[in-house]
């Protein structure tokens, strides 16, 4: 094999942790209505004063999620960018990430000191996951309203995301979901990666998720030092 084809020196551009410099990019994925925008809003409220922060939202046909964040004034308007995918959400976060990269780069050029970018995927199903060419770490958000079987059903979001969030625990008694079963099933398929059971209704600051994000920012700073 010619020297320039030596695979020992090859760095996969889409492998986790390959990027250097720039803000930490955190993907928020998960099924329709699980609470991705509510979590993005909560993280903006909790972390907006600590970090130079911006958000990219993805919707299929509208700018609904970006409009929600703007209406709720969680961040100044020029820190929120909407991508209209016009196609399956997972296409825009995994297969052709160009529009999302453009949105992140626009935010980076507008705010050169940016430290953290949240990228919310459009709501999809259990198969969606982000390309590591777009984000550095990914959070998968499911909720208890679909029943306690969801973690057991697996899929890359549930098994391989860097953080699994089971949201809307306040609804568990109403839908007869057993949170102990959800915790046990998630732990069984996640190989030691963390899972948080939360209710954004009861904790609008998303305290535990915000702490996890802080840890990721610290870890990246150490990695880059
Ligand atoms: N009861 C309850 N409702 C919640 C909670 N978190 C979010 N919601 C509600 O769930 C609905 C959907 O929340 P969103 O944040 O829009 O969900 P999403 O995942 O962004 O939805 P899509 O982007 O359309 O896929 C909204 O009406 C929220 O107010 C929670 O912890 N408990
Ligand atoms: Mg949303």
């Amino acid at each position: 094999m010619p020297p320039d084809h030596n695979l020992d020196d090859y760095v996969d551009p889409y492998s986790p942790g390959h990027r250097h410099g720039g803000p930490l990019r955190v993907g928020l994925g998960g099924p329709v209505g699980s609470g991705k925008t509510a979590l993005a809003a909560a993280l903006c409220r909790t972390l907006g004063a600590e970090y130079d922060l911006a958000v990219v939202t993805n919707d299929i046909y509208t700018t609904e999620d970006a409009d929600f964040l703007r209406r709720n004034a969680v961040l100044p308007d020029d820190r929120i960018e909407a991508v209209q995918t016009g196609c399956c959400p997972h296409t825009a976060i995994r297969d052709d990430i160009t529009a999302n990269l453009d949105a992140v780069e626009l935010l980076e050029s507008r705010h050169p000191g940016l430290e953290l970018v949240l990228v919310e995927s459009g709501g999809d199903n259990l198969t969606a996951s982000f390309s590591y060419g777009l984000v550095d770490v990914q959070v998968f958000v499911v909720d208890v309203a679909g029943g306690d079987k969801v973690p057991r059903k697996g899929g890359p979001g549930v098994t391989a995301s860097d953080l699994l969030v089971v949201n809307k625990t306040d609804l568990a008694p109403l839908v007869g979901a057993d949170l102990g079963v959800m915790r046990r099933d998630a732990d069984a398929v996640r190989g030691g990666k963390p899972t948080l059971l939360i209710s954004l209704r009861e904790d609008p600051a998303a305290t535990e998720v915000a702490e996890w994000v802080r840890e990721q920012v610290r870890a990246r700073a150490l990695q880059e030092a």
Side-chain angles (χ1 to χ4, degrees):
M1 185 183 286
D4 56 343
H5 286 177
N6 184 353
L7 290 178
D8 292 344
D9 298 329
Y10 177 70
V11 178
D12 179 354
Y14 292 152
S15 62
H18 75 281
R19 274 193 338 105
H20 297 287
L24 179 81
R25 300 178 193 168
V26 179
L28 305 175
V32 175
S34 59
K36 298 177 294 297
T37 305
L39 180 58
L43 292 174
C44 289
R45 279 191 295 266
T46 305
L47 299 174
E50 279 171 55
Y51 298 113
D52 198 330
L53 170 60
V55 181
V56 176
T57 63
N58 279 253
D59 271 305
I60 306 178
Y61 301 119
T62 65
T63 55
E64 176 80 24
D65 286 357
D67 297 342
F68 175 89
L69 295 176
R70 290 200 183 102
R71 259 198 323 276
N72 286 273
V74 295
L75 284 179
D77 280 6
D78 68 347
R79 290 177 178 269
I80 301 170
E81 275 302 312
V83 171
Q84 261 175 269
T85 61
C87 58
C88 276
H90 69 249
T91 306
I93 60 164
R94 191 187 61 199
D95 302 337
D96 181 356
I97 58 177
T98 324
N100 272 289
L101 285 177
D102 285 351
V104 172
E105 279 169 20
L106 180 64
L107 289 164
E108 285 177 355
S109 64
R110 215 182 268 154
H111 303 283
L114 215 52
E115 295 170 290
L116 178 61
V117 179
L118 307 176
V119 182
E120 182 196 341
S121 167
D124 205 27
N125 51 36
L126 294 174
T127 67
S129 59
F130 286 85
S131 162
Y132 280 106
L134 175 59
V135 300
D136 302 300
V137 287
Q138 44 191 306
V139 179
F140 199 69
V141 185
V142 298
D143 67 29
V144 308
D148 55 25
K149 64 185 182 296
V150 172
R152 200 156 57 235
K153 290 194 155 195
V158 168
T159 59
S161 56
D162 299 290
L163 174 67
L164 177 65
V165 170
V166 180
N167 184 32
K168 307 192 192 179
T169 53
D170 57 296
L171 296 182
L174 302 177
V175 297
D178 184 332
L179 297 178
V181 166
M182 296 186 92
R183 155 75 61 197
R184 188 198 63 204
D185 291 348
D187 287 348
V189 294
R190 288 184 50 72
K193 288 193 289 298
T195 301
L196 293 173
L197 278 70
I198 68 167
S199 164
L200 289 168
R201 187 61 50 88
E202 289 168 358
D203 176 18
T207 311
E208 290 176 289
V209 182
E211 188 47 35
W212 181 85
V213 172
R214 287 187 192 100
E215 278 167 27
Q216 307 311 305
V217 175
R218 283 195 289 267
R220 183 170 157 83
L222 283 176
Q223 187 188 323
E224 306 240 309

